[in-house]
């Protein structure tokens, strides 16, 4: 019997064509009378309020989401509490006029869908979002990081426009870092049958036996019909190309009115392809709900099969292979675009980290966007998925459950974190009891994984540490060995390590511009150099590995300076993703690539005859350094270390020759001529004409021999033609106060130490897009992008 689909469920993007306007948290008259108008005393209160679908919003700003309104605000020098931590942007309780945002969106639905179930899904709104549809209050989502979904079937208008109204309140911070504000993740309208599989209602996990696996598919089914209903449920597993590998038996379910049930089905797979860092293979599960010969609802879930082992003495094993966790911590913002990252940027950033040799990503300190996890699934990057707070109140338990259910099918997630640095409770009985409550929830909803907690504690076995399965260390690397001696059966992980502060291309401390040298020499009192912690982690099996603070620079939390410093210096890469010198230290020891890197650059006219501290990062066995052909000596490379020479400066060529397993490696830095040209390199030259894809274009300032001028600070201007748009610019300068979003299309950025970046988002028309890059007095260049 062939099956027919009485209704194909829809997942409709609602990202486009929103209207935005600031409110005000302290002046009701500037907040559309919110606070004095009674919006909740009756259902569907229209009157003349802002939630009225007929409210005139024609003068409001037109935007698409994801949208971060904070990135567009100016920088403000202020002594207000935590302004420095949030990047000196005027948001928070002290800035009522830019801390409330109102959004409105109109959409229509197909009359043929009358009688179906309608759901609004918000992947992330920062923060405390109150939501109305057609004048009806829908709900409030407190969290700025965990999305939520709402059944709005009763409020849908089939005869005209539907109007969503959202008030976003960012007056209260959740973190101590740049968080942005607004609808900064995707919005969806889900339309389903009233017998359906809810969002995150499928859980796929597996048990491995040799090369075979038993895959368990747990499916939740709900009935929103007004009468009892029967259905049949089954699942199909396919390979990545859609070839069917197995099908479960068809299982009957009987559902009462508003009833729900969960069924478990098993499938055996032979000779499975394991998901790994090198081959991130993903299978598919198609789960089907049918009645008679008609499909009511079906979902497709990507999943992978892997095994993990955390051994307190031998370390971490993935699919039986011992690997060291080479991770980075990261916040979720990027140059030019703040926290509202298009999906393609998630892939761009993960690729950069993988190229460095990183194999793990800690989403610190909040639930990541779903697309970040999809990128990690697809590209082969392990993820430590973190709950925002160590708290067991109903609100935070609900958030934790939503994170677990949303993310547990992502094969990249190898470990949960129940919290981070709760100094007031982590070492006492409060913390212990809360941890036990959260661990029980994790075990219930995802028994296939375990948890850690990021503790900034030394050799302390109390509170959370008494009950957490994997002991997480935030810094305190000096105490790990003693802790292991005292607690030899508890696996140990560096959840937050390093925190070397560096500024790309700067080699002297500059307290005026708030820069620190671009070498592994400077760190806060509570942290360590890269070389200090990594030697310990690399050379001791009982270390599972660790996560560096951080992979990328991020806005806010300037250290060791404050104003004019508006972003961190912690990154191995800067906020654009340009490598700093410490990148080559990690890449030397985190990859098998041939690495030979000299720093600093060799443009020092003011230092002729003076000593320069020259560093070589390499995984060669030995390295010899030459200045203009004259040997400065050969040195043996100690593992997990670097080499240094003190060189009297003269213009010319500084060359390193290394030998690795008998092979010769060479690299050099040269004194350049004056800048003559801008060079632009796009990360790809073909994009989809879907209005969502995009390109990152990196700009270098070069001399007449094509060598990057490492001190260039030219103003660079960008002109785009074709159906695409620039959405942000950056340079990696942690003290730049230039706008990330340029007004009136006048896109420009001052190069920082020879580099800057422009981010382009595709349009919807097939054809060529051209980006012209210009700088006064320099030869210009054009980047061509094919949009199809």
């Amino acid at each position: 019997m062939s099956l027919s689909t009485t209704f194909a469920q829809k997942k409709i993007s609602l990202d486009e064509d929103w209207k935005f306007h600031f409110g005000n948290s302290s002046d009701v008259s500037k907040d559309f009378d919110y606070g004095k108008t009674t919006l909740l005393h009756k259902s569907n209160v229209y009157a003349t309020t802002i939630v009225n679908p007929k409210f005139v919003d024609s003068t409001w700003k037109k935007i698409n989401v994801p949208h971060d309104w904070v990135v567009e605000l100016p920088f403000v020098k202020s002594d207000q509490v935590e302004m420095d931590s949030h990047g000196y942007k005027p948001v928070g309780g002290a800035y009522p006029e830019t801390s409330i945002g109102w959004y409105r969106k109109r959409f229509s639905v197909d009359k043929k869908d009358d009688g179906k179930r309608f759901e609004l899904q918000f992947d992330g709104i920062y923060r405390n979002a109150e939501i109305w549809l057609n004048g009806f209050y829908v709900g409030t989502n407190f969290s700025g990081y965990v999305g939520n979904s709402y059944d709005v079937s009763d409020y849908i208008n089939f005869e005209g426009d539907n109007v969503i109204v959202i008030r976003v309140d960012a007056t209260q911070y959740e973190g101590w870092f740049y968080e942005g504000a607004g609808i900064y993740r995707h919005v969806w309208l889900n339309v389903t049958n009233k017998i359906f599989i809810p969002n995150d209602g499928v859980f796929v996990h597996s048990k491995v036996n040799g090369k075979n696996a038993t895959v368990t598919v747990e499916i939740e089914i709900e009935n929103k019909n007004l009468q009892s209903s029967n259905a049949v449920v089954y699942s199909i597993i396919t390979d990545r190309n859609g070839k069917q590998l197995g099908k479960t038996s068809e299982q009957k379910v009987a559902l009462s009115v508003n009833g729900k049930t969960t069924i478990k089905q098993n499938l055996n797979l032979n000779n499975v392809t394991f998901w790994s860092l090198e081959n991130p293979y993903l299978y598919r599960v198609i789960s089907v709900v049918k009645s008679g010969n008609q499909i009511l609802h079906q979902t497709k879930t990507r999943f992978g099969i892997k095994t993990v082992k955390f051994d307190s003495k031998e370390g971490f094993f993935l699919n039986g292979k011992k690997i060291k966790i080479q991770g980075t911590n990261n916040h979720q913002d990027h140059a030019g675009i703040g926290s509202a990252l298009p999906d393609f940027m998630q892939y761009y950033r993960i690729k950069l980290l993988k190229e460095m040799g990183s194999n793990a990503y800690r989403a610190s300190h909040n639930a990541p966007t779903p697309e970040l996890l999809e990128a990690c699934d697809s590209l082969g990057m392990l993820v430590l998925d973190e709950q925002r707070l160590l708290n067991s109140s109903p609100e935070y338990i609900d958030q934790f459950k939503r994170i677990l259910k949303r993310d547990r099918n992502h094969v990249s997630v190898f470990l949960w974190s129940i919290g981070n640095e709760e100094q007031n409770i982590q070492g006492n009985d409060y913390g212990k009891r809360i941890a036990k409550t959260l661990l029980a929830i994790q075990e219930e909803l995802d028994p296939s994984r375990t948890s850690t907690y990021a503790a900034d504690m030394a050799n302390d076995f109390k509170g959370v540490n008494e009950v957490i399965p994997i002991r997480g260390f935030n810094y305190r690397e000096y105490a790990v060995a003693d802790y292991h001696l005292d607690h030899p059966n508890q696996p140990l992980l560096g959840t937050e390590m390093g925190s070397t502060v560096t500024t790309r291309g700067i080699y002297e401390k500059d307290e005026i511009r708030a820069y620190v040298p671009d070498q592994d020499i400077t760190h806060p009192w509570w942290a360590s150099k890269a070389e200090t912690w990594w030697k310990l982690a690399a050379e001791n099996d009982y270390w599972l590995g660790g996560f560096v603070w951080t992979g990328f620079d991020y806005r806010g939390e300037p250290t060791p300076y404050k104003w004019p410093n508006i972003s961190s210096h912690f990154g191995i890469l800067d906020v654009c993703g340009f490598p700093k010198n410490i990148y080559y230290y990690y890449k030397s020891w985190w990859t098998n690539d041939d690495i030979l890197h000299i720093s600093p650059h060799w443009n020092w006219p003011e230092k002729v005859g003076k000593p320069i501290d020259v560093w070589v990062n390499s995984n060669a066995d030995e390295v010899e350094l030459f200045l203009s052909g004259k040997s400065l000596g050969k040195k043996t490379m100690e593992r997990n270390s670097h080499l240094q020479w003190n060189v009297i400066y003269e213009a010319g060529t500084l060359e390193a020759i290394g030998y690795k397993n008998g092979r010769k490696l060479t690299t050099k830095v040269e004194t350049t001529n004056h800048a003559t040209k801008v060079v632009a390199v796009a990360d790809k030259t073909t994009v989809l004409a879907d209005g969502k894809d995009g390109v990152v274009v990196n700009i270098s300032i070069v001399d007449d021999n094509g060598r990057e001028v490492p001190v260039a600070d030219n103003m660079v201007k960008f002109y785009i033609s074709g159906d695409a748009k620039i959405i942000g610019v950056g340079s990696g300068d942690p003290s730049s106060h230039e706008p990330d979003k340029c007004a009136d299309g006048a896109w420009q950025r001052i190069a920082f130490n020879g580099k800057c970046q422009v981010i382009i988002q595709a349009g919807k028309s097939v054809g060529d897009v051209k980006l012209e890059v210009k700088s006064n007095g320099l030869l210009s260049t054009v980047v061509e992008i094919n949009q199809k």
Side-chain angles (χ1 to χ4, degrees):
M1 178 184 294
S2 62
L3 294 178
S4 63
T5 304
T6 57
F7 171 73
Q9 71 270 9
K10 303 174 184 177
K11 187 180 182 72
I12 303 167
S13 172
L14 296 183
D15 284 355
E16 296 183 350
D17 300 323
W18 288 77
K19 296 290 190 69
F20 173 78
H21 201 290
F22 280 117
N24 194 295
S25 61
S26 63
D27 188 335
V28 173
S29 66
K30 295 180 180 178
D31 199 30
F32 303 99
D33 289 335
Y34 179 88
K36 75 177 183 182
T37 302
T38 50
L39 297 177
L40 301 174
H41 72 301
K42 295 284 187 181
S43 289
N44 194 227
V45 177
Y46 276 4
T48 57
T49 67
I50 191 173
V51 302
N52 187 339
K54 296 182 180 179
F55 179 90
V56 178
D57 56 19
S58 57
T59 62
W60 287 29
K61 183 178 180 180
K62 297 178 181 180
I63 59 107
N64 292 336
V65 303
H67 175 241
D68 174 3
W69 81 64
V70 178
V71 74
E72 301 182 41
L73 297 176
F75 296 98
V76 176
K77 185 178 182 180
S78 171
D79 294 326
Q80 292 290 336
V81 176
E82 292 202 348
M83 269 291 285
D84 59 328
S85 294
H86 286 76
Y88 291 101
K89 290 286 189 175
V91 66
Y95 298 93
E97 68 280 1
T98 50
S99 296
I100 302 292
W102 285 92
Y103 291 86
R104 290 173 60 86
K105 160 77 178 175
R106 298 177 182 273
F107 67 96
S108 60
V109 298
D110 193 329
K111 292 182 181 180
K112 296 178 181 177
D113 293 340
D114 192 359
K116 305 305 177 185
R117 176 180 173 272
F118 291 81
E119 176 186 73
L120 286 176
Q121 176 184 331
F122 300 93
D123 287 346
I125 304 174
Y126 191 89
R127 57 172 303 279
N128 196 23
E130 296 174 273
I131 302 159
W132 289 265
L133 178 63
N134 295 332
F136 291 93
Y137 172 72
V138 172
T140 299
N141 192 34
F142 178 78
S143 171
Y145 297 105
V146 186
N148 215 342
S149 300
Y150 304 91
D151 188 327
V152 294
S153 304
D154 293 343
Y155 312 140
I156 291 293
N157 177 18
F158 293 96
E159 301 300 327
D161 281 348
N162 292 270
V163 180
I164 306 170
V165 180
I166 303 177
R167 183 180 188 266
V168 181
D169 183 347
T171 56
Q172 181 62 256
Y173 301 131
E174 286 190 57
W176 51 96
F177 40 84
Y178 179 89
E179 299 179 279
I183 307 175
Y184 73 103
R185 294 180 181 171
H186 295 305
V187 182
W188 308 94
L189 177 68
N190 300 321
V191 189
T192 69
N193 196 284
K194 291 196 173 181
I195 301 175
F196 64 99
I197 301 170
N199 261 339
D200 309 322
V202 175
F203 178 31
V204 186
H205 50 100
S206 56
K207 186 174 182 180
V208 173
N209 181 16
K211 293 185 177 180
N212 305 324
T214 299
V215 179
T216 300
V217 186
E218 301 184 29
I219 308 170
E220 185 179 341
I221 307 101
E222 290 191 31
N223 175 32
K224 287 297 181 181
N225 284 317
L226 299 180
Q227 64 276 338
S228 298
S229 301
N230 297 317
V232 171
V233 181
Y234 63 92
S235 290
I236 295 169
I237 291 183
T238 76
D239 66 10
R240 61 164 44 149
N241 298 315
K243 179 183 177 182
Q244 183 172 318
L245 302 177
K247 177 184 174 185
T248 67
S249 60
E250 297 188 359
Q251 187 167 339
K252 295 179 179 180
V253 292
L255 297 164
S256 60
V257 176
N258 291 323
K260 64 175 66 175
T261 189
T262 299
I263 65 168
K264 292 185 179 181
Q265 300 175 318
N266 292 326
L267 271 171
N268 294 320
L269 291 182
N270 297 323
N271 196 27
V272 300
T273 301
F274 291 99
W275 182 93
S276 67
L277 304 172
E278 302 78 19
N279 181 25
Y281 192 91
L282 296 173
Y283 292 91
R284 273 73 168 162
V285 166
I286 302 170
S287 300
V288 180
V289 181
K290 71 173 185 175
S291 178
N293 67 337
Q294 296 175 329
I295 293 176
L296 304 180
H297 193 191
Q298 70 178 29
T299 63
K300 182 181 288 186
T301 305
R302 299 197 311 171
F303 76 100
I305 299 172
K306 71 178 188 298
T307 65
V308 298
K309 178 184 176 183
F310 302 93
D311 188 276
S312 62
K313 297 177 180 62
E314 296 299 320
F316 175 70
F317 294 80
L318 178 63
N319 303 325
K321 176 184 176 182
K322 183 175 180 178
I323 66 170
K324 192 72 75 169
I325 294 169
Q326 299 169 174
T328 65
N329 289 270
N330 293 284
H331 289 312
Q332 58 181 7
D333 63 291
H334 191 91
I337 46 182
S339 293
L341 270 66
D343 296 352
F344 69 88
M345 287 301 302
Q346 306 293 352
Y347 290 82
Y348 180 77
R349 286 163 61 89
I350 296 301
K351 286 178 181 178
L352 292 181
L353 293 174
K354 279 187 69 74
E355 287 170 3
M356 180 182 72
S358 180
N359 58 25
Y361 183 108
R362 178 178 171 222
S364 46
H365 305 286
N366 49 264
T369 189
E371 291 72 31
L372 180 278
L373 297 180
E374 290 172 7
C376 291
D377 289 344
S378 298
L379 297 176
M381 176 74 75
L382 295 167
V383 175
L384 174 53
D385 204 337
E386 187 159 278
Q387 162 78 331
R388 178 66 202 91
L389 284 179
L390 185 72
N391 191 306
S392 56
S393 70
E395 170 63 34
Y396 286 101
I397 283 179
D398 180 56
Q399 289 185 26
F400 191 41
K401 287 181 175 179
R402 279 184 273 157
I403 295 169
L404 290 167
K405 293 186 71 174
R406 189 198 70 173
D407 296 350
R408 61 189 178 179
N409 288 322
H410 288 284
V411 64
S412 56
V413 176
F414 78 115
L415 186 63
W416 300 104
S417 171
I418 63 171
N420 172 76
E421 292 189 2
E422 297 282 357
Q423 292 96 343
N424 293 329
I425 60 172
Q426 63 186 3
N428 59 34
D429 198 51
Y430 289 123
K432 180 179 178 179
R433 280 181 274 159
I434 294 169
K436 290 172 72 174
T437 296
L438 296 179
L439 289 171
I441 293 168
Q442 182 254 292
E443 176 68 22
E444 173 195 357
L445 293 179
D446 183 15
S448 69
R449 296 180 180 87
T450 190
S451 288
T452 188
Y453 165 79
D456 54 336
M457 304 168 71
N459 188 9
D460 298 299
F461 188 70
K462 54 188 177 182
V464 178
N465 290 342
E466 296 179 63
V467 297
I468 200 72
I470 310 294
R471 167 67 208 271
F473 276 85
N474 279 14
Y475 313 106
R476 319 303 193 268
E477 72 289 333
Y478 56 83
V480 173
D482 288 342
Y483 188 93
H484 175 64
L485 286 174
D486 293 341
H487 311 286
N489 297 319
Q490 189 179 33
L492 308 172
L493 175 63
T495 39
E496 203 166 303
M497 289 285 138
S499 279
T500 304
V501 286
T502 59
T503 308
R504 178 179 59 79
I506 298 294
Y507 293 95
E508 293 180 338
K509 185 178 180 180
D510 186 337
E511 295 185 350
I512 302 300
R513 293 183 295 175
Y515 298 148
V516 285
D518 192 10
Q519 302 288 17
D520 187 19
I521 57 177
T522 310
H523 61 82
W525 66 265
W526 35 262
S528 73
K529 295 186 295 183
E531 204 162 311
T532 300
W533 88 269
W534 179 246
K535 279 187 176 181
L536 294 171
E539 296 168 8
N540 291 286
D541 287 342
Y542 57 82
W543 279 73
L544 302 174
F547 293 83
V548 184
W549 190 266
T550 52
F552 294 87
D553 278 346
Y554 55 93
R555 299 161 187 271
E557 207 168 21
T559 306
Y561 305 110
K562 293 187 184 297
W563 184 271
N565 192 183
I566 48 81
S567 75
S568 83
H569 297 265
F570 293 115
I572 301 170
L573 304 110
D574 69 18
V575 74
C576 291
F578 297 135
K580 305 180 189 179
N581 286 318
I582 202 169
Y583 171 96
Y584 299 96
Y585 170 75
Y586 283 112
K587 189 167 186 176
S588 292
W589 307 114
W590 283 7
T591 74
N592 292 320
D593 297 349
D594 292 339
I595 306 300
L596 185 59
H597 175 76
I598 303 172
S599 59
H601 59 76
W602 213 238
N603 282 29
W604 300 101
E606 74 281 11
K607 292 193 174 185
V608 173
K610 296 180 180 179
I612 300 285
D613 190 22
V614 173
W615 289 45
V616 171
N617 285 114
S618 181
N619 49 19
D621 302 318
E622 58 183 14
V623 178
E624 187 171 7
L625 191 67
F626 297 83
L627 178 57
S628 299
K630 181 181 178 181
S631 176
L632 302 178
K634 182 184 295 186
K635 297 187 179 185
T636 300
M637 176 64 73
E638 178 187 344
R639 285 195 62 78
N640 303 309
S641 188
H642 73 283
L643 298 175
Q644 283 180 251
W645 281 262
N646 194 261
V647 181
I648 301 302
Y649 179 77
E650 63 180 53
T653 299
L654 193 64
E655 183 179 22
I657 297 178
Y659 295 90
K660 182 180 179 183
N661 299 323
R663 290 181 292 106
K664 183 179 179 180
L665 314 177
T666 64
T667 192
K668 63 183 178 180
V669 292
E670 296 178 292
T671 307
T672 70
N673 300 325
H674 295 297
T676 60
K677 183 180 179 180
V678 289
V679 173
V681 178
D683 73 306
K684 53 190 174 183
T685 55
T686 301
V687 296
L688 298 175
D690 60 0
K692 298 180 182 297
D693 199 4
V695 176
V696 178
V697 181
N698 293 324
I699 314 301
S700 296
I701 310 296
V702 303
D703 71 3
D704 50 357
N705 290 319
R707 300 171 298 193
E708 184 174 294
V709 180
V711 293
D713 59 357
N714 305 68
M715 171 65 78
V716 183
K717 298 186 178 183
F718 307 99
Y719 305 88
I720 194 165
S721 60
D723 183 25
K725 61 183 179 181
I726 297 173
I727 59 173
V729 290
S731 67
D733 182 349
S735 295
S736 173
H737 298 166
E738 298 170 274
D740 294 271
K741 309 282 188 180
C742 299
D744 302 320
W747 291 96
Q748 62 183 33
R749 194 71 171 194
I750 296 173
F752 180 62
N753 293 327
K755 296 180 182 293
C756 60
Q757 184 177 83
V758 58
I759 302 171
I760 298 171
Q761 191 159 42
K764 295 184 178 180
S765 302
V766 173
D768 291 334
V769 172
K770 291 186 178 181
L771 175 73
E772 189 172 9
V773 185
K774 293 184 175 182
S775 183
N776 286 341
L778 304 182
L779 294 174
S780 61
T781 191
V782 173
V783 175
E784 295 187 357
I785 301 161
N786 179 243
Q787 200 161 270
K788 64 179 184 179

